[in-house]
Amino acid sequence: MPCTASAVRCEHISRSDWGANDAVLRMLNSLTTDIIHPRTPYLSTNISSSFAMPSYNFQDYDVGNNTIVPDQECSLSFTIRTERGFMDQVKSTTVTASSKRGGEFLHGGIDWKKKTMEIQGVTKPLVEVKRKHGGTFSLAHEWTWSTKKYLTTFKKGAWTVRCEEELIATLVCLKRHLFSKDELATLNFATEVSDEEKIFFILALLYHDLQLPPQQRPLTDPVAASDAAKGLAVNAAATAATNTLMSCCSVQ
């Protein structure tokens, strides 16, 4: 695969024991850097004009179950699906690319139980594809696919992927706001990134975040509020039924 350019920024608030360690490392990285605008790609001095690419916009909060839609109609869309088990433990993640003309023709995924990654029918163990890079507090990883090596790092609130110091693409992840509308994730790739590479980079860039509990919509969101109301109604009905049953069966 040719060298290409990608950066990712993701919200780093977790709610699990595993995620707590990852979130702390992200916060330590962020303390030494400035916050960049949530919609501004993390740029380096050697980035070329090829970065003037259409954005791919995430449609929901949970990066593991999402649709990534391009700004331009001629581009591919990506669908991410993640299966989780007890305590939100991730079991499998798949990424599928499709066109508006119909048909799914590219796919990849991670089997978290078997610890393997698969791209277009080629399956490799994660220990062969990924290895830690840097010291104890480093979140960097070196990824290998085909004959190329890529480095993912986290800095200034952004995940980045580089090949031989060349920036490949940008993924700006969920940005929450207290008093304004949240900004969902966006994704950009350099022009030389192939469609198959995009599948690989999406999995590599989301590797840490996929292992965290999924982000939830705020209760101010109409869909989330409706789901919460339904949940409360179900719980209230169950509680009332239980109380009635206990009252009827109690010894007088």
Side-chain angles (χ1 to χ4, degrees), residues 1-250:
M1 294 190 293
C3 293
T4 44
S6 158
V8 186
R9 180 178 62 198
C10 299
E11 182 188 3
H12 40 280
I13 304 297
S14 65
R15 301 178 298 280
S16 69
D17 291 337
W18 188 99
N21 294 329
D22 186 57
V24 169
L25 294 183
R26 294 194 192 186
M27 290 173 67
L28 289 174
N29 279 276
S30 299
L31 287 175
T32 59
T33 56
D34 295 326
I35 302 295
I36 59 175
H37 190 277
R39 294 295 175 180
T40 303
Y42 174 62
L43 304 179
S44 67
T45 55
N46 63 346
I47 193 168
S48 66
S49 58
S50 64
F51 227 90
M53 287 290 291
S55 294
Y56 293 81
N57 303 306
F58 282 68
Q59 302 300 295
D60 211 335
Y61 282 74
D62 178 9
V63 294
N65 290 283
N66 225 304
T67 302
I68 311 175
V69 179
D71 279 347
Q72 294 186 0
E73 294 185 0
C74 60
S75 300
L76 295 175
S77 295
F78 298 92
T79 301
I80 306 175
R81 291 291 176 262
T82 299
E83 181 184 358
R84 296 181 181 272
F86 180 67
M87 297 293 290
D88 284 325
Q89 184 177 6
V90 64
K91 298 170 68 175
S92 65
T93 299
T94 59
V95 178
T96 305
S98 59
S99 66
K100 288 195 172 183
R101 298 176 181 176
E104 300 177 350
F105 58 94
L106 286 172
H107 67 275
I110 295 177
D111 188 319
W112 298 93
K113 185 176 181 179
K114 295 181 179 179
K115 300 184 185 304
T116 59
M117 176 180 282
E118 181 264 331
I119 306 291
Q120 282 295 95
V122 178
T123 302
K124 296 183 179 182
L126 280 174
V127 293
E128 179 182 326
V129 176
K130 173 190 68 70
R131 71 179 182 88
K132 187 172 176 60
H133 182 89
T136 304
F137 295 104
S138 173
L139 292 174
H141 282 88
E142 183 181 82
W143 295 79
T144 304
W145 197 267
S146 185
T147 59
K148 295 294 182 181
K149 294 183 182 296
Y150 305 90
L151 185 65
T152 58
T153 59
F154 183 81
K155 187 177 181 181
K156 291 188 176 181
W159 284 102
T160 64
V161 163
R162 285 183 170 83
C163 176
E164 299 177 353
E165 299 302 321
E166 180 187 1
L167 191 61
I168 309 299
T170 305
L171 174 60
V172 182
C173 296
L174 173 66
K175 181 71 174 180
R176 291 187 184 271
H177 301 288
L178 289 175
F179 303 107
S180 59
K181 186 177 180 180
D182 294 337
E183 298 175 76
L184 299 179
T186 59
L187 174 69
N188 292 274
F189 292 110
T191 53
E192 65 269 25
V193 178
S194 69
D195 294 336
E196 185 174 330
E197 286 178 305
K198 291 175 182 177
I199 299 286
F200 173 71
F201 290 137
I202 289 173
L203 290 170
L205 292 167
L206 294 179
Y207 178 80
H208 285 280
D209 292 79
L210 288 170
Q211 297 177 76
L212 303 178
Q215 292 289 341
Q216 302 296 328
R217 294 173 178 173
L219 291 179
T220 54
D221 182 273
V223 176
S226 175
D227 292 342
K230 291 178 182 177
L232 289 174
V234 170
N235 290 337
T239 300
T242 301
N243 291 338
T244 301
L245 180 62
M246 292 180 65
S247 177
C248 293
C249 297
S250 62

